[in-house]
Amino acid sequence: MAPNGEDMPPAGLGHTGRTQAEDGVGRASLTRDALANQLYLKTKPPSGTAFRPSQTMGRTSALKSIGRLEPLTAARPPAVSAPAMGTAGGTNAMGADAASYETTVRSSTPARVGGAVTLAPLTPTGDSSRANGSLGTTDAVPAGSLRVSPSKPPLRPESEDDGYQYLTLLRWMCRNAADEERRRANALPPGPHGADEFVYLARLDRDPNDWQPYALGVREYHGLDRTDYYTMSAQGITHFLDGAQPEFITAERWELEVANYKKIKSLTVFRTYKKWKSWKLWRKSVMSAKMQRAASVLEKNLFVLDPVFAPTIDKVRDACRELSKKRLSKVRTGEVRTLGAFVDEVKEAREEMTEEFARFSAEQTATVSDACQRSLDAMEARLEEFYGDDLPCTDRVDRISGHGSAGPSSPAAGRISTTGSKLGSKRGPGSEDAAQYAYTVAATRRTEQRRCLTFVKLMDYVMCDTMHDMLLDSVNDVLSATKQCEEDQFEMPKPPYRLHKPWLKVQSAMKRMFRKITQENRRQSASKKVREAAKENQLMDTIKDRQMQARHEKEDDELNRFEPKFPVLPQFEVELAWDERASQTVFEPSFHDFQSEVEKTVKSFIDMLAKVKRLPDDKALMSKMTDALEMEQSSGKGLDMADLAYTERWRELVRQVRRSLAFGFDTATRYKDNFDIFVNMKKKNAETSTSQIVENYKSGDLVIDNFRRDTITYLDQKKRMEAFYVDQNVGIVKIKSQQLQTALLPSPTAKLEELSQMLPGLAAEMFNKFIEEVHAGTNKLANLPKSAEDFMDVMRFCVDLRESTLERLGAQAEEVKALYDLINEFGFPIKEEDQAKFALLEDDFAMLETVLDESEGQQEDRIKQFAAEMIEAGKEVNQNLKDLAKAATDEMILDVEAPREQVLEFVEDLTAKVEAQQAEAKRIVKIQETFKVEPTEFESLKAVAEDVALKRSMWVSDKEFDGLVVTWAESVFDQIDVAFMEEKVQKMGKLCVKLERGLQPNSVVPAFKAKVDAYKQLLPVISALGNDALLMRHWEKIQEIIGQPIVRDETFTLQKILDMKCPDHSDAISQVSVEATQERQLESQLEKIVKRWQDVSFAVTNYKESKDTFILGGLEEVFTALEDSMVTMTTILSSRFVAGIRTEVEKVEKNMNVFSDTLDEWLAVQKNWMYLESIFSAPDIQRQLPNESKQFYGVDKMYRDVMRKTRENDNAMRAATTPGYLEKFQKANETLDFIQKNLEEYLETKRMGFPRFYFLSNDELLEILAETKNVQAVQPHMSKCFDGIKSLDFGEDPKSVDIFAMFSAEGERVQLGKNLKARGNVEQWLTAVEAAMVAALKKQGKESYVSYAKEARTDWVRNQPAQIVIMVAQIYWCRGVIECLESENPVAAMEKYLEKNRSDLKDMTAVVREDLTRLHRKIIAALITIDVHARDIVEELWQEKVESVNDFKWQMQLRYYWDDKDDICLIRQTNTLFNYAYEYLGAQSRLVVTPMTDRCYMTLTGAMHLRLGGAPAGPAGT
């Protein structure tokens, strides 16, 4: 047994100390842990237990496995017996090599020490061979030779003995015994020491914490512990232990065990084992002590073990258990209730539970109070028993005796008062012992009260916990009722009406129609036999129709079946009604009311619990523990029930209830959409006006089929509204739609009623209109024509009637018939009078056709009659024209001296007569054309009419022009319409030309023309002076020209201008007028510019949804207006007429220039401000750039003020030309430029700290620096800083600063080192990430390099990063090629290696066909690409018979090597050497490596070797 009582199996050692090899058993290895237990569990045996060193040592194989000892072999020495031992130690098979063993034995060099050692004789019983200075071998000594006996080595004092110097003495004994043996063999005298000497040994045991079984010291016999000692002789060492058999071990075996023991002790696991074991025993002991103390405390303080409180606890728990079965509401799954019923239930449940809580609280308060009183009584009894008559009475106890159950009549009160009187009578109030007793008793009572108070709190917690559980259970009941399945499991019920497969009805109708047509054809054309057969077929078809109808109904039933997998029972009942005012369906009551009431009810549960009287609130109960309460006043009042109930679990349940209600009501709301089809019917009916439909029908936009379709629609609507389900369960809501049905039905009913009233009226109206036209046509054809015009009208009427009217009337007749058929089809009521008139429709229409035929038959005779009359009338017109032509040649008309009025009266009469003859000629020709006879020629009509018209216009125009001249001359000049004057003069001039050409020479035309021409000469001056553009400065120039003052008042007429001889200065005045006109145009353009800028405003918009910060928005309109204005200003300034308005033009030009400059500066400030605002709004930037932040905020304040004022007055011109703005913006731009310069320098420092920041733009870098505390801000930019890293893994916590791994764009995750944190400046921890990336890849590369040779390649490739897979695979491939090239037969070896490459490639090809993740597929695909190139290289080397590693065919390849010294990868090509950079690349795809790729590699590596660069260009793949 070991010291700790554990078994110590020998683990391969025999009980006699022999190994399994000695017993003939096969060798078996011992594990390190097994040998450790075997050694150290036996290192310090208890008193009375034999110590057997041979049992503590394992076999040589065990030592080999632990200490990596080389196997020792030696010849078996002869057996040695020990006569002093009760049992023989047995033979010993030495498993040690002689040389190794001798080296081990001689490793200890004895030192010179003083003191003598007494040796007792030992009689050997057997022979033993000894080697000189070594064990296990025999030296051959020539006969007759004599060797000098070695001298006995000196021993150090015990204080300097390390416990192993006895081994030196043992070796001397062995050599001396061997020498004596040779002496006897050679018959020589014995040596001075003899061969049978022995010494006594004992364990040193200097350090109890480092006890060593082989540390022995030499002892004198008289000072020896006879219960445990050793003897040592040349044969070996014998251990004597009281109560046990002596044990003998040979010297060789002992030395071997000592050497192995030292080697084993040098191992760390054995060196620290005892320390570990001691700590474990100490920890176990401490834990045991703590557990015992905790158990005793619990046993003392647990109320459940107290005989007074235990029954009360059980009773309170039973009551709580019964209370927990009750609920705060009566909501049960499957019970449907309206909102009113729900409110009543809640009210009733609240009243019931309030009474129940009051009863429960009173009962438990009484129960707990009774238990506390009994505990206090028991405490008083113990005090009385302990103190007896000396029990002191304190004022505090007196007060307790006057409260609650411990009143004057209670036993406790009696004892307190009695004992108090006894003590007072015995010792008196001034006794010191009485004061001491009183303090002790008071402390005992306070302790008991505190215990009772703790018990009250415990019971209160139990009750509160019960009520809290009941609260959660009640809310759970509500949740169970409102959430009977998961949202994704809920199935929406079918619509509230029966569904049909429409194609089934169409199919049935088509078949019936086809059979009906077929049967009708057969009935009309077939014989009697065929008709009878058709009758039988008809019966069969009827049966088939019934069967088809049954099948269709069955399919419809299947379509309408609703069997949800997770059925939900309704809980709440609502009424779906129609809101006439909002024209939509609504739920009554609304779901908001329902949800509010349910949530209010759930929240009211806590109010109910808060009203429950808790135990600490009972004054009578608490009066028993006054002292304890006073001591706990400092702890404050605890949480009330409402606070205790507001747990996360309760809030989560309430949230789930709210969500389940929302989902249930939302489901019902979505289901309500199924009623939209009926709501849309009602809305569409309301929007449809039957009277408007009738009007559209009358106008021809609609046809009768529209009425039929509308009627069928309304009938179908009525049928469907009557048939939809008025009760429907939709999840937790039961929808009743009776009110909606009642509100919807009047809509189609009213429309049908309107049609029933309007269609008969429409039919009667159409019939009356039709019949009136028929009767009127009949009467017109029946009457005889009295004149040619009347006959011509009849002819046209006949033509119209025959060509279109008759057909139209026929169509109207058919329309009327169809309308009456429609009325009869739907059974609309018709007046008997209208029905009777309709019956005569066909007769009246036939009469019209008859009269038309008769009238057309009489037309030839009447045409002849009226044609003759027209010929005579034509002759009369020609004669009249001759007379008028003669009258028009009267000399008075062409005489300028003739009286004008008389001539005008004469020509007016001629004109009227000519017009009358023109009308008559036109009438005659029209009638003749109608009769289709040759029309009469009126040759002189046109000439006479033109001649009379010219002569009339001559005299009328002459009179009109004279009147105009007088009017213009007398009119105020400014009121003359010059344009009208010019128009009239031009018109008169043209008439003069026409008169000269059309009339014979006369005196009237020249005189009229002379007046017109004279006035035409005045027009330029009149037009120039009448120019509206003339201003005062222009009139002054005109005065200077004519040399007279011009007073423009009421006397300034045209005649006055003529009197001033203005026409004589016509050219000069016209020049002034042109100048005025041009100046007016320039002013107009200038005014347009100014007016346009009055309407141009800045688009001021909010900046980033800020309410008080603004920026200029779209400026396209402003820039367009500015460009147009600048172009116009250039045009104005370049005009030669600008001199008169130059001052105004220059003022506007100055404003425009100021506006342009200010706007440019403004926009520059805004651009820079917007860029810098987001930067300097970050606290990190403000902290790092304090001066720049201060400057920026000065500009920021100015800009915000300007933009705020601009928003209030957004006119662009006024805002941009505000005095001081240009200077402010110029200064702000200078400041912002300076800030940007410093910001660039700041960013440069950051880039210098982390050069990869050069890959980021300024905006991207600032985005990172602005959120240095948010480490996630760097994530979007990782792919730009690191080619292969897309993001970093910060763990699940978004605020974590621990960096665990890096992710590639392909989703590959590579673990980074430990304790990598994103702390400090971003460039610092990113630099750490970069270093961690390199370190992680180096570590991964080393591990992959080691594991490559141990694992199957197809398995290894799945466990490594893609980059490492390529690198390590290339290293081993390169190593394989080099081994082939350095072999005895490189070509043959290369051929075998080629086969291996092909095999590896085949294996990878098989792997890629497996079910792989996307990432693994990419990794293996990239490896296959590289393997293909590697195979091609090996094949090329084999074909080229390359036999040296220095061959250029091999040197030109990109070769990977592993440096075992630095554990890094090296890359070589030609004469270049590079360290692998370990830049993470992710799992990128690889292009096929071509010879061109190899040449590019070689060129680039050569350039890099020469510190140059390279930029390959060209299409990919080449």
Side-chain angles (χ1 to χ4, degrees), residues 986-1049:
Q986 293 293 335
K987 185 177 180 180
M988 294 300 178
K990 293 179 180 179
L991 180 60
C992 291
V993 174
K994 187 175 180 181
L995 292 174
E996 288 179 343
R997 294 177 181 176
L999 296 178
Q1000 57 187 356
N1002 58 80
S1003 59
V1004 178
V1005 173
F1008 177 61
K1009 183 179 180 182
K1011 291 189 289 184
V1012 172
D1013 291 341
Y1015 222 87
K1016 190 180 293 184
Q1017 299 298 324
L1018 299 176
L1019 282 179
V1021 176
I1022 296 174
S1023 177
L1025 294 176
N1027 188 355
D1028 294 337
L1030 291 174
L1031 300 178
M1032 183 56 65
R1033 61 176 180 271
H1034 303 117
W1035 284 106
E1036 291 174 355
K1037 290 183 179 180
I1038 294 174
Q1039 291 177 7
E1040 293 176 0
I1041 291 172
I1042 64 177
Q1044 298 182 35
I1046 298 177
V1047 181
R1048 299 177 62 199
D1049 54 10

Side-chain angles (χ1 to χ4, degrees), residues 634-887:
S634 60
S635 62
K637 186 179 179 182
L639 298 176
D640 56 18
M641 189 61 203
D643 296 331
L644 293 174
Y646 278 109
T647 61
E648 184 60 32
R649 173 62 178 160
W650 180 84
R651 285 191 285 268
E652 178 61 25
L653 287 175
V654 171
R655 283 194 292 268
Q656 292 185 20
V657 169
R658 187 181 297 114
R659 179 173 178 177
S660 62
L661 286 172
F663 176 74
F665 293 150
D666 180 65
T667 301
T669 303
R670 286 188 283 114
Y671 186 82
K672 185 185 69 172
D673 296 342
N674 291 315
F675 292 92
D676 288 349
I677 184 174
F678 306 108
V679 172
N680 293 334
M681 292 177 186
K682 179 177 176 63
K683 290 182 178 180
K684 187 174 181 181
N685 293 346
E687 295 172 356
T688 303
S689 172
T690 307
S691 59
Q692 184 62 41
I693 293 176
V694 172
E695 292 299 326
N696 293 339
Y697 171 74
K698 291 179 180 179
S699 63
D701 295 335
L702 299 177
V703 295
I704 289 180
D705 284 341
N706 292 104
F707 291 114
R708 177 176 285 103
R709 185 168 59 250
D710 290 345
T711 305
I712 294 174
T713 299
Y714 297 143
L715 289 172
D716 179 66
Q717 289 179 3
K718 183 178 179 182
K719 180 180 178 181
R720 294 173 66 182
M721 289 179 182
E722 291 173 346
F724 73 71
Y725 312 140
V726 294
D727 291 335
Q728 185 70 15
N729 297 334
V730 183
I732 62 173
V733 180
K734 182 177 183 179
I735 300 177
K736 297 182 70 66
S737 52
Q738 184 65 48
Q739 292 185 19
L740 178 63
Q741 188 182 58
T742 304
L744 293 176
L745 274 174
S747 176
T749 304
K751 289 299 178 182
L752 289 172
E753 183 64 25
E754 290 178 4
L755 287 175
S756 67
Q757 293 177 2
M758 299 189 70
L759 285 179
L762 176 62
E765 180 183 351
M766 291 180 62
F767 174 78
N768 292 333
K769 182 179 178 181
F770 164 77
I771 206 67
E772 287 176 2
E773 188 173 0
V774 170
H775 289 169
T778 303
N779 294 333
K780 187 172 184 177
L781 293 176
N783 296 328
L784 295 176
K786 298 180 180 179
S787 63
E789 285 79 2
D790 294 340
F791 177 64
M792 189 171 59
D793 290 342
V794 172
M795 288 181 63
R796 284 197 298 270
F797 181 73
C798 289
V799 172
D800 293 341
L801 196 62
R802 182 65 68 184
E803 291 180 353
S804 60
T805 305
L806 196 63
E807 183 179 357
R808 177 175 57 80
L809 291 174
Q812 289 182 0
E814 294 298 327
E815 193 77 10
V816 172
K817 289 179 183 179
L819 194 54
Y820 272 99
D821 291 342
L822 175 64
I823 294 171
N824 294 328
E825 178 182 351
F826 294 104
F828 294 152
I830 305 176
K831 295 181 181 180
E832 295 182 358
E833 179 182 357
D834 294 339
Q835 188 69 34
K837 290 180 180 179
F838 174 70
L840 299 176
L841 183 143
E842 294 183 356
D843 296 339
D844 292 341
F845 189 65
M847 177 61 71
L848 176 61
E849 292 178 338
T850 302
V851 174
L852 176 61
D853 293 337
E854 293 177 354
S855 178
E856 288 177 342
Q858 297 173 0
Q859 284 183 0
E860 292 297 331
D861 296 336
R862 289 178 178 158
I863 287 174
K864 293 179 181 180
Q865 174 186 347
F866 289 112
E869 293 180 0
M870 291 301 101
I871 292 173
E872 294 298 327
K875 293 179 179 178
E876 183 178 353
V877 169
N878 282 326
Q879 183 60 43
N880 293 335
L881 288 174
K882 291 179 180 180
D883 296 339
L884 289 174
K886 184 177 179 181

Side-chain angles (χ1 to χ4, degrees), residues 301 365 474 488 664 749 762 821 912 956 1155 1175 1252 1332 1351 1357 1395:
N301 295 328
T365 301
S474 300
D488 56 350
T749 304
L762 176 62
D821 291 342
V956 169
F1155 176 85
I1175 298 172
R1252 291 177 186 260
E1351 301 179 22
V1357 73
E1395 292 302 322

Side-chain angles (χ1 to χ4, degrees), residues 3-6 41 273-289:
N4 59 0
E6 299 178 359
L41 292 180
Y273 178 80
K274 298 195 70 172
K275 186 187 301 181
W276 297 342
K277 186 170 183 65
S278 299
W279 180 85
K280 184 175 181 181
L281 291 175
W282 173 84
R283 183 175 179 274
K284 184 177 181 180
S285 176
V286 171
M287 292 295 293
S288 177

Side-chain angles (χ1 to χ4, degrees), residues 515-653:
R515 285 198 295 268
K516 184 176 181 180
I517 295 173
T518 304
Q519 292 169 4
E520 185 67 24
N521 293 336
R522 289 178 179 176
R523 187 165 46 251
Q524 293 177 0
S525 60
S527 61
K528 180 178 180 181
K529 184 176 181 180
V530 174
R531 286 198 298 272
E532 292 177 354
K535 190 174 182 180
E536 294 179 0
N537 291 336
Q538 183 177 1
L539 179 61
M540 294 300 296
D541 292 339
T542 303
I543 296 173
K544 291 180 180 179
D545 288 342
R546 297 288 175 84
Q547 293 176 346
M548 181 182 296
Q549 184 176 359
R551 186 171 68 255
H552 291 171
E553 290 179 356
K554 184 177 180 181
E555 293 182 2
D556 286 346
D557 292 341
E558 185 66 26
L559 180 63
N560 288 275
R561 182 179 293 111
F562 178 64
E563 297 176 353
K565 185 176 181 181
F566 300 95
V568 179
L569 300 177
Q571 295 296 129
F572 307 108
E573 180 181 303
V574 295
E575 185 73 34
L576 185 61
W578 175 257
D579 187 350
E580 194 66 40
R581 184 169 54 186
S583 297
Q584 63 181 8
T585 54
V586 294
F587 286 114
E588 295 180 354
S590 67
F591 288 155
H592 178 268
D593 296 339
F594 253 116
Q595 189 162 358
S596 299
E597 195 63 39
V598 173
E599 292 181 7
K600 179 181 176 183
T601 300
V602 172
K603 292 180 180 179
S604 69
F605 292 165
I606 293 183
D607 298 335
M608 295 170 61
L609 297 181
K611 296 178 181 178
V612 178
K613 186 177 181 181
R614 295 175 56 184
L615 294 181
D617 297 334
D618 187 81
K619 295 182 179 179
L621 175 60
M622 292 294 103
S623 65
K624 303 177 188 299
M625 294 154 278
T626 309
D627 293 338
L629 286 174
E630 289 181 358
M631 295 186 66
E632 292 197 0
Q633 284 179 355
S634 60
S635 62
K637 186 179 179 182
L639 298 176
D640 56 18
M641 189 61 203
D643 296 331
L644 293 174
Y646 278 109
T647 61
E648 184 60 32
R649 173 62 178 160
W650 180 84
R651 285 191 285 268
E652 178 61 25
L653 287 175

Side-chain angles (χ1 to χ4, degrees), residues 971-1150:
S971 298
V972 178
F973 185 76
D974 292 338
Q975 297 177 357
I976 296 176
D977 188 352
V978 178
F980 176 74
M981 178 186 293
E982 292 177 348
E983 179 184 358
K984 279 297 182 180
V985 172
Q986 293 293 335
K987 185 177 180 180
M988 294 300 178
K990 293 179 180 179
L991 180 60
C992 291
V993 174
K994 187 175 180 181
L995 292 174
E996 288 179 343
R997 294 177 181 176
L999 296 178
Q1000 57 187 356
N1002 58 80
S1003 59
V1004 178
V1005 173
F1008 177 61
K1009 183 179 180 182
K1011 291 189 289 184
V1012 172
D1013 291 341
Y1015 222 87
K1016 190 180 293 184
Q1017 299 298 324
L1018 299 176
L1019 282 179
V1021 176
I1022 296 174
S1023 177
L1025 294 176
N1027 188 355
D1028 294 337
L1030 291 174
L1031 300 178
M1032 183 56 65
R1033 61 176 180 271
H1034 303 117
W1035 284 106
E1036 291 174 355
K1037 290 183 179 180
I1038 294 174
Q1039 291 177 7
E1040 293 176 0
I1041 291 172
I1042 64 177
Q1044 298 182 35
I1046 298 177
V1047 181
R1048 299 177 62 199
D1049 54 10
E1050 295 180 354
T1051 62
F1052 186 62
T1053 62
L1054 178 60
Q1055 185 61 45
K1056 191 173 182 179
I1057 290 174
L1058 297 176
D1059 295 341
M1060 292 179 179
K1061 307 298 183 180
C1062 287
D1064 297 342
H1065 309 282
S1066 176
D1067 294 339
I1069 294 174
S1070 296
Q1071 182 64 30
V1072 174
S1073 179
V1074 169
E1075 290 179 3
T1077 301
Q1078 293 298 325
E1079 289 179 5
R1080 169 64 63 85
Q1081 291 179 357
L1082 296 179
E1083 288 178 345
S1084 176
Q1085 293 178 4
L1086 196 62
E1087 289 175 1
K1088 286 181 180 179
I1089 293 174
V1090 175
K1091 187 175 181 181
R1092 182 174 184 179
W1093 282 104
Q1094 291 175 355
D1095 299 330
V1096 176
S1097 300
F1098 283 133
V1100 181
T1101 59
N1102 293 85
Y1103 177 64
K1104 291 184 178 179
E1105 301 180 358
S1106 175
K1107 295 182 179 180
D1108 57 350
T1109 305
F1110 312 96
I1111 60 172
L1112 296 181
L1115 297 174
E1116 292 81 4
E1117 180 184 359
V1118 176
F1119 282 118
T1120 301
L1122 180 61
E1123 292 175 0
D1124 295 344
S1125 300
M1126 296 302 289
V1127 171
T1128 304
M1129 291 300 299
T1130 303
T1131 303
I1132 293 174
L1133 289 171
S1134 62
S1135 175
R1136 61 189 180 91
F1137 300 103
V1138 74
I1141 58 173
R1142 182 173 293 278
T1143 303
E1144 292 81 1
V1145 173
E1146 289 177 349
K1147 181 179 179 181
V1148 174
E1149 183 191 20
K1150 181 180 179 181

Side-chain angles (χ1 to χ4, degrees), residues 1376 1380 1383 1385-1400 1434 1438:
C1380 293
S1383 65
N1385 190 350
V1387 177
M1390 193 67 69
E1391 184 178 8
K1392 293 181 181 179
Y1393 194 59
L1394 175 60
E1395 292 302 322
K1396 183 181 183 302
N1397 277 257
R1398 290 172 177 170
S1399 177
D1400 291 344
V1434 173
W1438 173 65

